[in-house]
Amino acid sequence: KTFHAVLNLKNNTIQTLTDKSVDQLLLPKKVNSDFALIYHNQSYLPHIVFEAHDYKDLYGVNLKTGEKWLIEKRVHGNPQFSPSGNLVFWHNPTRAQWQAHDLTSRQSYLWTNDELGEFEDELNDRPRPASAYGGGYFSKDEDEVYLYDRFDIWRLKTKQNLTGKKVTSGRSKKVVHRLVDIDGNEDYVLKQRQLLYLFSEQTIFWIWIPFAR
């Protein structure tokens, strides 16, 4: 088994990131980020067989110092980085929640729950927790994130709990609203304009609109 480490070219030191107890290392897309994630899931492997849930203990790691800290135990979901790599977030289907952790301040946040809104598949008829409708698109300063319910787009504060607000009104007309990455490489939601994809049972169309902020 191989292990991951970071070589600091300024002082010729090596920081070990993983060892035999670590099952996976996740790096952000931005190479200049100071953080990474590591998973421990060996103790939860029986749950995959009997519950079909892939649990993991999630840790943050500082790439400069090698310091590690526990973010949350028994995570059910697939953590992702924000574009800057300073925030990690995931949907927990067993709790029906979107959760987040600020890697800089080491503070955790609850973005959604079933009292705020229904962000999971409303038509799920399988004997397993419903999956999320998706989202995870950020404002340029990463103070806000956009998530989906069945029809609408919600705007939430990334470093506050349960601050969701709808910015579209598709549910009453059963029209699905979704953000579109215009050039395929856009990391952030545009401030002044944003292409939305709208879908209904009657028609499909594209429209440019000023995005409410």
Side-chain angles (χ1 to χ4, degrees), residues 74-201:
R74 199 179 169 87
V75 169
H76 181 202
N78 298 303
Q80 306 171 62
F81 286 98
S82 66
S84 71
N86 293 328
L87 192 75
V88 60
F89 64 101
W90 65 94
H91 177 258
N92 188 325
T94 55
R95 298 180 185 173
Q97 296 174 345
W98 280 95
Q99 300 172 246
H101 181 82
D102 185 337
L103 295 164
T104 303
S105 66
R106 302 187 185 180
Q107 296 293 312
S108 294
Y109 302 97
L110 178 62
W111 282 353
T112 72
N113 61 13
D114 55 6
E115 294 181 2
L116 178 65
E118 192 163 1
F119 296 86
E120 294 75 31
D121 184 1
E122 298 177 13
L123 304 179
N124 177 56
D125 60 358
R126 296 176 297 173
R128 58 185 300 178
S131 58
Y133 283 106
Y137 302 97
F138 289 82
S139 61
K140 186 70 174 178
D141 56 13
E142 295 194 359
D143 284 341
E144 296 174 336
V145 65
Y146 297 87
L147 301 176
Y148 300 145
D149 69 11
R150 182 178 175 183
F151 297 104
D152 289 303
I153 301 170
W154 291 65
R155 182 176 69 238
L156 304 95
K157 296 293 185 182
T158 56
K159 298 175 184 178
Q160 296 181 28
N161 296 315
L162 303 173
T163 60
K165 177 183 178 182
K166 284 185 186 181
V167 294
T168 59
S169 54
R171 182 169 290 273
S172 62
K173 298 180 180 179
K174 298 190 182 301
V175 175
V176 178
H177 292 65
R178 295 294 182 257
L179 296 164
V180 176
D181 186 348
I182 297 172
D183 61 6
N185 297 303
E186 188 63 49
D187 286 332
Y188 298 102
V189 172
L190 301 179
K191 288 185 177 181
Q192 301 302 325
R193 63 180 186 179
Q194 177 67 48
L195 183 64
L196 294 186
Y197 171 71
L198 278 69
F199 170 79
S200 72
E201 294 180 356

Side-chain angles (χ1 to χ4, degrees), residues 17 34-36 60-69 106:
L17 301 180
D34 292 336
F35 305 106
V61 56
N62 188 308
L63 296 176
K64 290 184 177 180
T65 66
E67 181 185 8
K68 304 176 182 69
W69 69 94
R106 302 187 185 180

Side-chain angles (χ1 to χ4, degrees), residues 22-68:
V22 175
D23 299 299
Q24 187 173 352
L25 174 75
L26 181 63
L27 295 168
K29 184 168 64 174
K30 297 287 186 181
V31 296
N32 58 347
S33 173
D34 292 336
F35 305 106
L37 298 174
I38 54 176
Y39 301 165
H40 297 260
N41 69 352
Q42 289 295 319
S43 62
Y44 301 115
L45 291 181
H47 294 273
I48 298 178
V49 177
F50 297 107
E51 300 179 31
H53 295 340
D54 183 13
Y55 296 116
K56 57 184 73 71
D57 294 339
L58 182 64
Y59 292 79
V61 56
N62 188 308
L63 296 176
K64 290 184 177 180
T65 66
E67 181 185 8
K68 304 176 182 69

